[in-house]
């Protein structure tokens, strides 16, 4: 697909309504957008590259957590976030959910992710109750939710303007918040015109219901279309894509999203770093009774484990365990650190059912410094599935 890319101007959303309107007016008054190579000399004689933002990483002031920009927006998020899928309002008690969130927040995690569909809304309710009880400053954390599946009625799902606005209002009510920091379109919708989706997302941002918007499980063509529509009609473009990413799911995050990050500033927030627990080794000798694969509604996971492909993956996981032993870390920590090392990944979402799992997973940050190029090459050789860029390969030949 060939698409004409305009030079990136400014950051993502997150400004006030007044600031956002001013920014749009400023963008309209110039026919020549600022390009990446252009240099501005400020009053202090400092040279600043415009439209160029690396994913700068910094340690937290009171913890060992690392913080990164969400794509090329100005929003700083912890490199590890806490997800609520399966766990909150379902697999774990509200008391355990509160303990997990407290440990996460105290450890520097500032990103909490949920969705209107998780546990039929109970995940949002649980998250909202905990946030209200804890009384943390609203400006100190980031809450994201996802809109698509809201109810049984035809108008309660999809990405129509009606459902985006009403669905987000429902989420805010359950979360007991005035706004979410990021609202995600939880999948693409062939029945909703892209202009309608982008206009609705821009509306909820202008109304102060969200600071930014992003996509989840969209392909690169769809994300680029949303960006192009936003630029054409002076609307707010998406800043982030939520994508599955782990040892056995690599192509999208390693091939397609980095290109979007460099061209239009879209970052990656990834989920399922442990492939539903597969990478921890808990299924190496069968399916434990307390595991996710043993839960009602997880037949697909059991079938995946017993398939030929699943057996090959379990064999590779055993070899990766030996590598983790060499690094003096757990298999889970190695798998999460491996996700964090990928270009363009702003944050990796964790799904845990107790504080012990959370603390183990947070330990992946210290493993990140051990992932040297030779070690990554060794892991790639073991996995045997490193994505290949066909365009680059063709140019070389």
């Amino acid at each position: 697909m060939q698409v004409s890319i305009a030079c990136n101007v400014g950051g993502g959303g997150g400004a006030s309504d007044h600031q956002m309107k001013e920014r749009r007016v400023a963008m309209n008054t110039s026919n020549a957008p600022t390009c990446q190579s252009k240099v501005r000399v400020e009053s202090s004689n400092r040279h600043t590259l415009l439209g160029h933002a690396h994913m700068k990483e910094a340690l937290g002031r009171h913890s060992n957590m690392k913080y990164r920009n969400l794509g090329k927006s100005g929003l700083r998020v912890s490199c590890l976030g806490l997800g609520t899928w399966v766990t909150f309002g379902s697999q774990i008690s509200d008391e355990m959910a509160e303990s997990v969130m407290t440990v996460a927040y105290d450890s520097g995690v500032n990103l909490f992710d949920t969705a209107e569909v998780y546990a039929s809304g109970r995940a949002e309710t649980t998250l909202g109750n905990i946030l209200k009880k804890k009384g943390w400053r609203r400006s100190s954390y980031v809450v994201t939710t996802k809109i698509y599946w809201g109810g049984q009625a035809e108008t309660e799902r999809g990405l129509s303007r009606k459902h985006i606005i009403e669905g987000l209002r429902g989420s805010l009510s359950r979360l007991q918040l005035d706004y979410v920091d990021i609202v995600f379109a939880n999948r693409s919708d062939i029945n909703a015109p892209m202009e309608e989706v982008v206009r609705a997302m821009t509306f909820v941002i202008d109304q102060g219901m969200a600071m930014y918007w992003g996509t989840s499980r969209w392909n690169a063509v769809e994300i680029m279309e949303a960006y192009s529509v936003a630029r054409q009609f002076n609307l707010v473009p998406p800043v982030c894509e939520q994508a599955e990413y782990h040892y056995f799911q690599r192509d999208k995050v390693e091939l397609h999203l980095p290109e979007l990050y460099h061209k239009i500033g879209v970052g990656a927030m990834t989920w399922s770093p442990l492939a539903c627990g597969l990478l921890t080794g808990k299924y190496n000798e069968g399916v434990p009774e307390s595991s996710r694969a043993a839960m009602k509604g997880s037949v697909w996971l059991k079938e995946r484990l017993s398939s030929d492909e699943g057996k090959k993956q379990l064999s590779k996981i055993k070899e990766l365990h030996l590598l983790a032993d060499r690094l003096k870390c757990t298999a889970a920590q190695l798998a999460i650190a491996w996700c964090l090392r990928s270009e363009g990944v702003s944050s990796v979402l964790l799904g845990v059912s107790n504080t012990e799992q959370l603390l183990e997973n947070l330990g992946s940050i210290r493993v990140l410094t051990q992932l040297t190029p030779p070690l990554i090459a060794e892991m790639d050789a073991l996995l045997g599935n490193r994505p290949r860029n066909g365009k680059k390969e063709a140019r070389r030949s």
Side-chain angles (χ1 to χ4, degrees):
M1 178 192 70
Q2 286 189 330
V3 181
S4 177
I5 306 295
C7 296
N8 196 24
V9 180
S16 66
D17 294 350
H18 179 65
Q19 288 173 319
M20 290 167 67
K21 288 171 185 171
E22 282 188 338
R23 183 164 66 221
R24 290 191 204 153
V25 171
M27 288 171 69
N28 276 341
T29 56
S30 173
N31 293 322
T34 307
C35 294
Q36 291 185 357
S37 59
K38 201 168 186 177
V39 177
R40 173 179 64 199
V41 181
E42 299 189 349
S43 56
S44 61
N45 292 324
R46 289 180 302 167
H47 288 71
T48 306
L49 284 173
L50 295 182
H52 183 78
H54 286 295
M55 189 172 290
K56 296 174 183 175
E57 189 174 81
L59 279 173
R61 294 179 183 177
H62 306 294
S63 71
N64 291 321
M65 180 58 65
K66 294 179 184 291
Y67 298 88
R68 299 174 176 179
N69 283 60
L70 182 69
K72 289 189 180 178
S73 78
L75 183 63
R76 301 286 283 177
V77 293
S78 50
C79 68
L80 297 176
L82 183 64
T84 61
W85 179 58
V86 177
T87 52
F88 281 40
S90 178
Q91 185 181 6
I92 65 176
S93 67
D94 290 356
E95 291 74 23
M96 179 55 73
E98 181 180 343
S99 297
V100 166
M101 274 194 68
T102 303
V103 171
Y105 185 81
D106 290 344
S107 300
V109 172
N110 74 352
L111 174 61
F112 302 102
D113 176 76
T114 189
E116 64 172 349
V117 71
Y118 292 172
S120 302
R122 293 191 303 277
E124 288 180 323
T125 300
T126 301
L127 178 59
N129 287 339
I130 295 169
L131 290 172
K132 185 176 182 180
K133 181 178 179 181
K134 302 304 292 187
W136 298 322
R137 295 187 319 281
R138 180 63 185 90
S139 56
S140 69
Y141 58 84
V142 172
V143 174
T144 73
T145 194
K146 295 180 281 295
I147 301 297
Y148 191 93
W149 292 279
Q152 298 301 312
E154 192 67 22
T155 52
E156 292 177 328
R157 58 181 179 268
L159 297 179
S160 67
R161 179 183 178 89
K162 177 179 174 64
H163 183 58
I164 288 174
I165 296 170
E166 292 178 345
L168 183 53
R169 282 178 180 154
S171 290
L172 293 176
S173 176
R174 289 186 291 274
L175 288 164
Q176 302 173 70
L177 296 174
D178 294 327
Y179 65 93
V180 291
D181 297 274
I182 312 165
V183 56
F184 286 96
N186 206 5
R187 56 162 286 180
S188 59
D189 184 358
I190 59 172
N191 295 314
M194 188 61 75
E195 184 183 341
E196 179 176 346
V197 175
V198 180
R199 285 191 181 278
M201 289 299 190
T202 300
F203 175 80
V204 297
I205 290 172
D206 285 348
Q207 292 297 306
M209 298 164 68
M211 298 289 191
Y212 305 81
W213 78 277
T215 58
S216 179
R217 296 187 291 183
W218 285 30
N219 63 43
V221 174
E222 292 164 338
I223 296 169
M224 183 58 77
E225 184 185 355
Y227 174 82
S228 300
V229 167
R231 293 304 300 267
Q232 180 182 355
F233 296 106
N234 201 22
L235 303 171
V236 180
V239 298
C240 182
E241 159 68 9
Q242 272 199 17
E244 182 179 5
Y245 184 48
H246 50 74
Y247 291 149
F248 306 116
Q249 188 76 33
R250 303 180 60 174
D251 285 16
K252 183 177 182 179
V253 172
E254 295 185 21
L255 277 187
H256 308 138
L257 292 187
E259 186 174 356
L260 289 179
Y261 170 71
H262 288 295
K263 286 181 177 177
I264 63 175
V266 170
M269 188 182 293
T270 68
W271 47 275
S272 199
L274 302 178
C276 296
L278 180 69
L279 307 186
T280 64
K282 69 168 72 174
Y283 299 117
N284 286 356
E285 307 302 329
V287 179
E289 285 185 16
S290 59
S291 66
R292 184 169 294 178
M295 290 175 60
K296 220 176 190 181
S298 294
V299 177
W300 60 273
L301 184 53
K302 259 187 179 176
E303 291 175 349
R304 173 180 168 182
L305 292 169
S306 59
S307 68
D308 290 341
E309 183 63 25
K311 289 172 183 174
K312 287 179 186 176
Q313 291 176 354
L314 287 172
S315 175
K316 291 178 180 180
I317 290 166
K318 288 177 182 177
E319 294 185 60
L320 287 164
H321 270 236
L322 298 176
L323 186 55
D325 290 340
R326 261 171 48 199
L327 298 176
K328 294 182 171 55
C329 68
T330 67
Q333 289 171 338
L334 177 59
I336 295 167
W338 180 88
C339 293
L340 284 172
R341 111 279 175 218
S342 188
E343 179 189 21
V345 171
S346 301
S347 188
V348 174
L349 298 175
L350 306 175
V352 299
S353 55
N354 55 59
T355 54
E356 289 75 21
Q357 282 182 4
L358 175 63
L359 290 169
E360 178 192 351
N361 291 354
L362 292 174
S364 60
I365 294 174
R366 67 173 176 78
V367 181
L368 188 55
T369 57
Q370 298 177 260
L371 299 188
T372 60
L375 187 69
I376 293 297
E378 183 181 345
M379 295 177 74
D380 281 337
L382 194 157
L383 290 167
N385 63 353
R386 183 181 176 187
R388 300 289 177 185
N389 191 322
K391 291 179 183 176
K392 288 184 179 178
E393 295 293 330
R395 279 199 289 269
R396 283 178 192 150
S397 58

